[in-house]
Amino acid sequence: MILIKLILAHLIGDFFLQSTSWIKEKERKTIRSPKLYLHVFIHIILLFVILWDISKWPLILIIGVSHFIIDALRLTLQKKKTKRLLFFVDQFLHLLVILVVYWLFIAKDTGLDHLLTDHTILLLTCVLFLTVPMSIIMKAIFSKWNISKIIEGNESLKDAGKYIGILERVLVFVFVILDHWEAVGFLITAKSVFRFGDLRESKERKLTEYILIGTLISFGIAILVGLLYLVSVPLIS
């Protein structure tokens, strides 16, 4: 519960209690911006309020100081081209500090056995397989056909197809293991509706077949992985 409170304080402080004007001023003035120090102060106050335990002050102090250091480094190193990358690095480092501090001050004596159970590892393996590895497998499958000429003039966002595929497979997997098959049907229907306009306008049979095969393979493997997970859970219990 304490870990959830620490993450909650971070989310409120970073995403709800700083305005766009604050962010722009920090980017312009970097470490000279008063808003940077006010932002860190708000984080510290939030941690005290949400934890409501004065004895946790060393934990709060470490998180507050590390938050200032991480934000200051990001603002100092940030360029227009690296802004998006550093945003994700910044958030990752904040969460990493929270996890490390939680481990050192709260969960050190309990170990990770309660988190790294067989069920957790199996679930993580299934989800990870449906992301990048499955995208590479799909790419290898479709390397048999060259459809670059077919989609020429109808370019999409860079890597949009890959991310859409990852999201739809993960969603299908979640729906299957939660026994919500109607949601899987809804997802297929929604995708079909959005794709219908593209297929009607293109009037390309090859493109239609390409999208149909891709959808069936993507959904089919996600469903199969979900079923395999459900079958495996009783076996490792």
Side-chain angles (χ1 to χ4, degrees), residues 8-231:
L8 175 62
H10 171 74
L11 293 176
I12 294 174
D14 247 23
F15 296 98
F16 291 93
L17 295 184
Q18 66 170 339
S19 63
T20 304
S21 60
W22 281 29
I23 297 173
K24 290 181 178 179
E25 181 182 312
K26 288 194 300 179
E27 290 176 344
R28 188 174 64 256
K29 296 182 179 180
T30 62
I31 61 174
R32 299 190 305 274
S33 172
K35 296 297 190 297
L36 172 61
Y37 300 91
L38 181 58
H39 173 66
V40 173
F41 178 73
I42 289 174
H43 265 282
I44 294 174
I45 296 300
L46 267 174
L47 286 167
F48 273 113
V49 171
I50 292 179
L51 290 178
W52 204 250
D53 187 350
I54 196 68
S55 66
K56 298 292 190 301
W57 70 265
L59 176 150
I60 295 172
L61 182 62
I62 292 174
I63 293 178
V65 172
S66 67
H67 197 102
F68 170 77
I69 294 172
I70 293 170
D71 276 14
L73 285 173
R74 177 174 65 87
L75 293 170
T76 303
L77 299 173
Q78 182 172 282
K79 305 295 182 184
K80 187 175 182 180
K81 291 183 178 180
T82 60
K83 184 176 180 179
R84 183 179 63 173
L85 174 62
L86 289 179
F87 167 78
F88 289 108
V89 172
D90 171 89
Q91 292 301 317
F92 171 77
L93 290 176
H94 286 316
L95 291 177
L96 181 62
V97 168
I98 289 173
L99 290 173
V100 171
V101 169
Y102 172 76
W103 164 254
L104 291 175
F105 286 88
I106 308 298
K108 187 176 181 179
D109 298 328
T110 61
L112 294 176
D113 294 341
H114 64 294
L115 294 176
L116 296 179
T117 63
D118 291 337
H119 290 171
T120 305
I121 295 174
L122 175 62
L123 180 64
L124 181 61
T125 302
C126 291
V127 172
L128 288 178
F129 171 74
L130 292 173
T131 57
V132 177
M134 195 58 219
S135 295
I136 296 174
I137 292 172
M138 294 286 289
K139 187 176 180 179
I141 292 173
F142 285 103
S143 63
K144 177 180 179 180
W145 300 289
N146 183 12
I147 65 158
S148 56
K149 293 182 180 180
I150 300 175
I151 62 175
E152 189 174 338
N154 189 28
E155 292 83 2
S156 62
L157 296 174
K158 184 180 179 181
D159 294 330
K162 181 178 75 172
Y163 295 129
I164 291 172
I166 289 174
L167 288 172
E168 70 182 20
R169 286 191 295 272
V170 172
L171 285 173
V172 169
F173 172 76
V174 171
F175 293 149
V176 170
I177 66 175
L178 294 179
D179 197 27
H180 284 294
W181 290 92
E182 70 281 1
V184 177
F186 175 79
L187 192 60
I188 295 175
T189 303
K191 184 174 182 180
S192 301
V193 170
F194 284 116
R195 282 295 192 181
F196 178 74
D198 295 336
L199 298 177
R200 183 177 57 184
E201 291 174 6
S202 67
K203 297 181 181 178
E204 280 283 356
R205 181 176 178 179
K206 290 182 180 179
L207 180 59
T208 304
E209 292 173 344
Y210 173 84
I211 293 174
L212 181 59
I213 293 172
T215 299
L216 291 175
I217 292 176
S218 184
F219 277 73
I221 291 180
I223 291 172
L224 180 61
V225 172
L227 293 175
L228 288 174
Y229 172 82
L230 292 175
V231 172

